[in-house]
């Protein structure tokens, strides 16, 4: 998924803006939180890893994308 696609998703679900602005990374096999990323002022609704897996992009209802 590209950053453009993340931005397109920003036009969906604008009515639900509540959230803590955190991005949580989970190990789905162990159900353990691996880390918490801070930086958004409102709910995060989309995340995407870069093709090489080294960068994570998060998109929020605060209309920002964080890398």
């Amino acid at each position: 998924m590209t950053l453009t696609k993340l931005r397109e998703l920003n036009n969906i679900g604008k009515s639900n803006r509540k959230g803590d602005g955190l991005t949580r990374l989970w190990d789905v096999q162990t159900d353990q939180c691996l880390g918490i990323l801070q930086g958004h002022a409102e709910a995060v609704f989309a995340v995407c890893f870069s093709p090489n897996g080294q960068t994570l992009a998060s998109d929020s209802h605060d209309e920002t994308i964080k890398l």
Side-chain angles (χ1 to χ4, degrees):
M1 184 179 295
T2 65
L3 292 179
T4 302
K5 184 62 177 173
L6 282 173
R7 184 52 64 204
E8 288 172 10
L9 291 173
N10 195 28
N11 294 324
I12 301 170
K14 286 267 192 177
S15 60
N16 183 11
R17 293 176 173 249
K18 294 183 180 178
D20 56 15
L22 302 176
T23 302
R24 293 173 179 81
L25 301 175
W26 292 89
D27 182 323
V28 295
Q29 292 182 354
T30 65
D31 198 33
Q32 291 184 337
C33 181
L34 301 176
I36 300 174
L37 306 174
Q38 301 177 3
H40 288 292
E42 296 184 26
V44 174
F45 65 89
V47 295
C48 179
F49 280 99
S50 64
N52 69 4
Q54 297 298 307
T55 303
L56 177 70
S58 59
D59 197 2
S60 168
H61 284 291
D62 63 12
E63 298 185 2
T64 63
I65 294 174
K66 303 290 185 179
L67 301 176

